[in-house]
Amino acid sequence: MTDLDRLLDFAARSRLPEGGFGYLGDDGRVRPERGQETWIVARMTHVFGLARLSGRSGWDELIRHGVRALAGGPLHDAAHGGWCASTADDTKAAYVHAFVVLAGATAATAGAPGGRELLDEALDVWQARFWDDAEGLAVEEWDAGWTRLSDYRGANANMHGVEASLAAADALGDGDPRAARLRAQAVRTVERVVHGWARERDWRLPEHFTAGWQPLLEYNRDEPAHPFRPYGVTIGHQFEWARLALHARAATPDPPTWLVEDATALFAAAASRGWAADGHDGFPYTLDWDDRPVVSQRMHWVLCEAVAAAGTLAAVTGEAAYRSLSDHWWAHGEARFADPATGSWHHELTPEGAVAAGTWDGQPDAYHLAQALLLPGRPVRGSVAASLR
């Protein structure tokens, strides 16, 4: 049985003595060849902050360790502002910055020294460089000096922008005027992506767009197993968007009714089209636009998000069927993904259940699994941190 405390102990092995957190392999050792990656440092800081908020002691030092690394380590660009993608890549990406905002928000909520300052700086960068108020969406990627903006636009970074904005609003509190603005921005993004593009395509969510926000339905067809920008319909993201729509509803005064309606429909499409789409239990990574599996490998994060979305829908609607699905999928995860040697889950399996590494090598990420363990039984709020608080 997966245990949060054991998962946290495993995640703590990612601590780098020189600062930040590293990418963990299946053996629980850091992969030094990968250097530091900002999304890993930010996610781990967030996870340790959630551990603190859940009432567990002993995590304060690791939260401070992550905050220090993000506030003044080699990932932070003191000359131009913002955060590089990694120690080997000076690109300024919305996906990365969304997680820095999330880390700052959770650290601030947990009362960690420097957490509020990190949050304030990250929000300033997010609003100035990534948020496009005319579109109600975030742009994707800049060069190191903020002089060239990529023509690519993506739903994945916007999804995590919604998550980060809701968490930041909760951390700031209603007395800060930025909180209401961030929540409104989150709802605008959900409206464009879910109530717009996903609804228009019978709940098949496009992920990739031109600079003018025209869907690129064939994007990365030649690289379908890309870890962040795969071709086709990404089942796990549909679950994640469904859950975030419900978090946005919980944080919004007088929320629109479509937030629940759309979350329910998007969830139903992912569940019905995704589960055992190739005849094997579990969710394939991606489907094509005719609901046929493209990448049939099973990713741990997809199942975690399915479990979390089902549980959140159960809490919001009171319908027992969602709880049954959540329990069923969790049991599948325990049987297939759980790694008794580490206390974490294998990140990628074949459809038959063998450990694979076509997209994800090792077990770098405690974020999805920790949240899936922490959300059940908690009230639905704008953020996981607020639910724990």
Side-chain angles (χ1 to χ4, degrees):
M1 193 71 172
T2 304
D3 176 74
L4 179 60
D5 291 307
R6 188 152 182 248
L7 172 65
L8 291 168
D9 287 341
F10 173 73
R13 299 182 191 179
S14 66
R15 186 187 190 279
L16 297 171
E18 66 273 20
F21 304 104
Y23 186 110
L24 289 173
D26 287 315
D27 57 1
R29 296 180 182 179
V30 171
R31 298 284 177 86
E33 72 277 6
R34 296 186 67 106
Q36 283 192 59
E37 298 171 77
T38 305
W39 68 279
I40 290 284
V41 178
R43 280 187 175 188
M44 288 300 193
T45 304
H46 166 68
V47 166
F48 298 132
L50 295 182
R52 173 70 178 81
L53 289 165
S54 71
R56 289 166 168 80
S57 60
W59 300 104
D60 291 0
E61 193 279 328
L62 282 176
I63 305 169
R64 290 194 298 269
H65 185 76
V67 169
R68 285 194 300 266
L70 293 169
L75 299 168
H76 180 257
D77 187 345
H80 300 102
W83 286 265
C84 302
S86 72
T87 47
D89 180 1
D90 62 6
T91 300
K92 304 287 176 59
Y95 180 90
V96 164
H97 283 75
F99 277 113
V100 177
V101 173
L102 181 64
T106 304
T109 302
R116 179 56 184 265
E117 291 79 7
L118 175 62
L119 173 59
D120 287 340
E121 181 180 359
L123 278 176
D124 286 347
V125 176
W126 179 264
Q127 296 287 4
R129 300 296 188 179
F130 293 104
W131 178 252
D132 182 346
D133 199 59
E135 295 287 353
L137 295 159
V139 299
E140 184 74 16
E141 189 174 273
W142 293 87
D143 68 334
W146 306 105
T147 60
R148 294 187 303 278
L149 175 63
S150 168
D151 288 336
Y152 173 86
R153 302 288 183 270
N156 190 7
N158 273 278
M159 181 181 71
H160 289 293
V162 168
E163 175 188 34
S165 296
L166 293 172
D170 285 342
L172 294 171
D174 293 339
D176 190 314
R178 291 175 294 176
R181 183 170 72 246
L182 287 162
R183 288 170 178 144
Q185 289 175 354
V187 172
R188 287 183 67 195
T189 298
V190 175
E191 185 171 15
R192 288 294 308 272
V193 176
V194 177
H195 199 55
W197 290 304
R199 177 183 283 269
E200 290 165 3
R201 287 164 178 78
D202 193 24
W203 309 110
R204 297 172 180 88
L205 174 63
E207 296 272 346
H208 315 294
F209 300 84
T210 67
W213 289 103
Q214 295 301 309
L216 295 168
L217 300 184
E218 297 302 300
Y219 186 90
N220 265 356
R221 179 182 274 276
D222 58 347
E223 195 178 354
H226 193 284
F228 300 108
R229 299 181 184 179
Y231 160 75
V233 176
T234 308
I235 295 297
H237 284 167
Q238 301 212 162
F239 286 125
E240 210 163 348
W241 276 107
R243 178 173 62 82
L244 288 169
L246 299 175
H247 289 294
R249 173 184 177 272
T252 303
D254 193 24
T257 57
W258 60 259
L259 281 167
V260 173
E261 295 166 358
D262 286 15
T264 302
L266 191 62
F267 175 92
S272 62
R273 294 166 183 163
W275 182 261
D278 55 4
H280 297 278
D281 282 354
F283 294 106
Y285 182 32
T286 55
L287 305 177
D288 69 13
W289 301 105
D290 295 312
D291 306 327
R292 296 171 301 201
V294 177
V295 178
S296 289
Q297 306 293 75
R298 271 52 172 167
M299 307 299 174
H300 95 290
W301 73 265
V302 174
L303 191 62
C304 288
E305 290 301 332
V307 168
T312 304
L313 273 165
V316 169
T317 67
E319 295 183 19
Y322 291 120
R323 177 55 58 199
S324 296
L325 275 177
S326 181
D327 291 345
H328 174 63
W329 292 339
W330 183 259
H332 174 76
E334 291 282 21
R336 287 291 187 96
F337 283 91
D339 181 0
T342 65
S344 183
W345 281 13
H346 297 294
H347 274 35
E348 180 177 342
L349 303 177
T350 67
E352 297 79 17
V355 177
T359 298
W360 290 109
D361 185 19
Q363 299 178 27
D365 181 16
Y367 157 80
H368 293 281
L369 184 54
Q371 293 193 154
L373 285 162
L374 283 165
L375 278 168
R378 312 280 184 180
V380 179
R381 298 286 187 262
S383 63
V384 180
S387 297
L388 294 172
R389 182 178 57 187

